[in-house]
Amino acid sequence: MASDEYVPLYVQIGRHVRSQILGGQLNDGDAIPSEPSLMKTFGTTRGTVRQAIGELVNEGLVRREQGKGTFVQFRPMTHSIWNFGGFSDSIRGRAGLGVARVIEHEVIDVDGEPTLRLVRLRGIRTPEGDESIHSLDTSHLSLRLFPGLDTVDFENASLYQTLRERYGVHPHRTELSLTTVAPDAAVFALLGETPRSPALVTLRGHAYDGDDRQIEQIEIVYSSSIEFKISTTMPSTGD
């Protein structure tokens, strides 16, 4: 497993504070640890700490108040897209068997980092033997973080189960943006769509483990047969 020696200190500090906020140790309105405290904890300079805090400000997780400090501005709002997650996990218990067809499986260079690019068609085979394609999934994963991952046959293995069992890494959360796109002819053909099909829903973003470490870059293009159901829970604000 890769260690934090490859991760800039300001990123490590940001992860530390972000984890405290998202984990509930720091709540909306709480002051985050002071600059001197973070400097001591991470053995670094004020400039590095301020760079980390600046990133959190840009993300909207904290706000600076002149002469007072830096405070959390985070009110939990849960958006749950039903059945989203690792595909094999999401269909467990349902009638049918998850199937995958690997379209691309190659090692590429991303900013000097050896990276597995994995493109798969995902779907379900019914007990009667019929197959339906649900999505085209593209994953990028660091081979420095997951050495040997490029040797796994992902037509017969679950990606997230492999991360859990082989590397001891448990996908914990995702940050994704949802858009609609009009894919090119090759994507339409892979998903069994026609040029008259509507624009397809696409999710793009990243998956993180319990230590708030990015473990996967994700892009999922769903077929037009997929229906999304989204539930939202927001805390009462008294408004």
Side-chain angles (χ1 to χ4, degrees), residues 4 12 24 26 28 31 41 44 75 96 102 106 149 192 210 216-217 226:
D4 278 345
Q12 294 181 42
L26 291 172
D28 188 51
T41 298
T44 190
R75 294 180 177 177
V102 174
E106 60 179 338
L149 189 66
E216 181 190 14
Q217 180 179 321
I226 296 298

Side-chain angles (χ1 to χ4, degrees), residues 23-154:
Q25 289 85 21
L26 291 172
N27 298 307
D28 188 51
D30 289 347
I32 70 169
S34 66
E35 291 182 1
S37 173
L38 291 171
M39 289 165 59
K40 182 177 180 180
T41 298
F42 288 88
T44 190
T45 64
R46 188 177 300 274
T48 298
V49 169
R50 288 183 173 176
Q51 184 177 5
I53 293 174
E55 294 287 328
L56 296 173
V57 170
N58 290 337
E59 292 175 16
L61 285 176
V62 301
R63 68 181 185 279
R64 289 191 176 105
E65 293 188 10
Q66 188 68 32
K68 294 182 179 180
T70 303
F71 299 88
V72 176
Q73 56 174 24
F74 178 73
R75 294 180 177 177
M77 180 183 294
T78 301
H79 295 272
S80 298
I81 299 178
W82 296 359
N83 292 331
F84 179 77
F87 185 82
S88 298
D89 294 336
S90 70
I91 66 169
R92 188 169 290 117
R94 294 172 56 183
L97 176 69
V99 294
R101 179 155 63 93
V102 174
I103 305 301
E104 296 180 37
H105 184 285
E106 60 179 338
V107 177
I108 62 174
D109 182 282
V110 177
D111 297 328
E113 177 111 352
T115 300
L116 172 63
R117 173 179 167 83
L118 179 64
V119 182
R120 296 169 293 167
L121 280 174
R122 313 302 304 278
I124 293 179
R125 181 183 297 122
T126 68
E128 295 74 30
D130 298 323
E131 289 188 6
S132 58
I133 298 300
H134 286 193
S135 64
L136 180 67
D137 298 13
T138 301
S139 300
H140 290 89
L141 302 106
S142 167
L143 291 178
R144 186 163 60 184
L145 191 61
F146 303 114
L149 189 66
D150 56 314
T151 66
V152 178
D153 174 10
F154 284 110

Side-chain angles (χ1 to χ4, degrees), residues 189-232:
L190 287 169
L191 289 172
E193 304 287 344
T194 70
R196 294 184 178 181
S197 296
L200 303 180
V201 171
T202 299
L203 291 178
R204 293 189 179 95
H206 301 89
Y208 300 84
D209 66 8
D211 295 323
D212 207 36
R213 176 177 51 180
Q214 181 182 310
I215 59 174
E216 181 190 14
Q217 180 179 321
I218 306 165
E219 178 180 286
I220 305 174
V221 181
Y222 290 94
S223 76
S224 59
S225 64
I226 296 298
E227 177 183 351
F228 285 89
K229 296 181 179 179
I230 301 176
S231 63
T232 301

